[in-house]
Amino acid sequence: MNDPCDGYGPRAPLGNVREGTAISRIFQQVRAEGQIARIDIARDLMISPATVTAITSDLIARGLIEEAAAISTDTLRGRPRVKLQLRANAHVVAGLKLGANVTTLVLLDFQGRQLAKAEIPQPLQNANADEILALIERALDSALTQAGLRRSDISAIGVGLPGFVNAAEGMVHWSPVLDRRMIPLGAHLQDALKCPVVIDNDANLLALAELWFGVGREQRDFIVVTIEQGLGMGIVIANRLYRGTRGRGVEFGHMKIQPDGALCRCGQRGCLEAYVADYALLREAEMALPADTSQDHDRLENLFAEAKAGNLIAKSIFHRAGRLFGIGLANIVNIFDPALIILSGEQLQYDYLYDIEVSEMMEANSIDLSDRPVELRVHKWNDQLWAKGAAAFALDHITGAILDTAPRVRTRGRQDAIRTP
């Protein structure tokens, strides 16, 4: 796989830009290919060359795309084939991951190339909206200084955080990093920063990062499962992120596995997360390490070391978590029948969540169709890629707004029908 920091790459999909118009499909094709000639766009999308020329001329006039150097020759006509590409300096966006311990921000240009990054190591729990704003401003100003830019140069900001988030409304129904429920965080940040702000669940944005910079170059359908302080999931179907009807779907960690079971931090009982996440393991760590008064991260490290050293209580804690996690993965397989599940997140440093017993538990509890088993991949991305997913979300937002206001270009007859992929 190519380095995910290299920009869109050759197969990056468009994401959330509306489909169905010639202009959006042509823009999508330019962005997906990185560089592409007009005649190739016409061939791939089954649109007349005249229509492609008219639309791409409009996009060039708007400053969204530009002509690259002519690097090949049309042997049939003896003319150089000029390729089109996105204009890198058309827009700059910021993307953030609000983590429990570190807030990470990246700046991307319109081609998806990283311009700067910033990390603010600060514990984040039960914060109010103004504290979130102050943290974002610190990270943003640090990155802008590195890039030699000003706040006014930013076209949009994407923010990812754990919890139940309605991306369309910018509403956080609940998050472990916030002090209360039902916070209109998107509107609050947008009003304060004087810039379009979009927010979403961080697992969704990691799936979007995979879509733009990772396996999305080669895989149309996949599921990302994140294992950190909680459990998250992002679903990509036909190169598009699925969020559910109300924008709060795919909460893998809050799948119920035990009625009236362990208390989850969401307030309900019996959630998978309440048996597998960091805080769930630490809740039981006192039985194995009763005298350990270390910080949570160190205590979890000590618990894992004890399990590896043969401490039976510590081993049983990780063993149960791994088995339940495997059953949760089997439920995903039985519901979605994915070709690929990607595991990512901090807890992957503990191999109990992806060892052979977990995959065997997943396979044993999946419907047997006598076919190739679902592929499990481990991607140990750092927070920077999560932030790039948030930035990709911001790029989608501004691109959709621009193309929605673009003038319609007349097409000529049936040859301009756009093939549905």
Side-chain angles (χ1 to χ4, degrees), residues 334-364:
N334 291 336
I335 294 170
F336 293 101
D337 186 28
L340 171 65
I341 297 176
I342 300 169
L343 306 181
S344 187
E346 287 182 355
Q347 271 206 47
L348 291 180
Q349 61 187 305
Y350 309 125
D351 58 9
Y352 72 96
L353 284 180
Y354 59 91
D355 63 14
I356 187 63
E357 186 176 13
V358 172
S359 60
E360 288 176 349
M361 182 63 65
M362 181 187 76
E363 292 177 16

Side-chain angles (χ1 to χ4, degrees), residues 13-29 31 168 240 395-406 408 418 421:
L14 185 61
N16 294 327
V17 173
R18 293 185 182 180
E19 297 182 356
T21 65
I23 189 169
S24 67
R25 299 299 290 165
I26 289 173
F27 183 90
Q28 173 178 356
Q29 193 72 358
R31 191 168 82 174
R240 298 182 68 81
L395 284 170
D396 265 352
H397 175 77
I398 60 173
T399 302
I402 292 169
L403 297 188
D404 279 349
T405 60
R408 296 300 179 97
I418 303 175

Side-chain angles (χ1 to χ4, degrees), residues 255-275:
M255 173 189 301
K256 301 301 181 287
I257 60 170
Q258 180 63 54
D260 300 320
L263 180 64
C264 179
R265 61 182 178 172
C266 74
Q268 297 188 352
R269 290 187 175 274
C271 299
L272 177 61
E273 179 178 297
Y275 295 89

Side-chain angles (χ1 to χ4, degrees), residues 321-334:
R323 287 176 58 85
L324 292 175
F325 184 62
I327 291 173
L329 293 177
N331 288 332
I332 292 176
V333 173
N334 291 336

Side-chain angles (χ1 to χ4, degrees), residues 26-28 30-31 34 36 38 41 52-53 55-68 83-88 90 110-111 403:
I26 289 173
F27 183 90
Q28 173 178 356
V30 175
R31 191 168 82 174
I36 186 171
R38 293 173 177 85
I41 297 173
V52 172
T53 298
I55 289 176
T56 55
S57 295
D58 177 69
L59 292 173
I60 290 173
R62 287 168 167 262
L64 299 178
I65 66 174
E66 62 186 2
E67 292 185 342
K83 294 195 173 186
L84 302 173
Q85 64 184 13
L86 299 192
R87 192 166 69 87
F110 202 49
Q111 287 185 353
L403 297 188

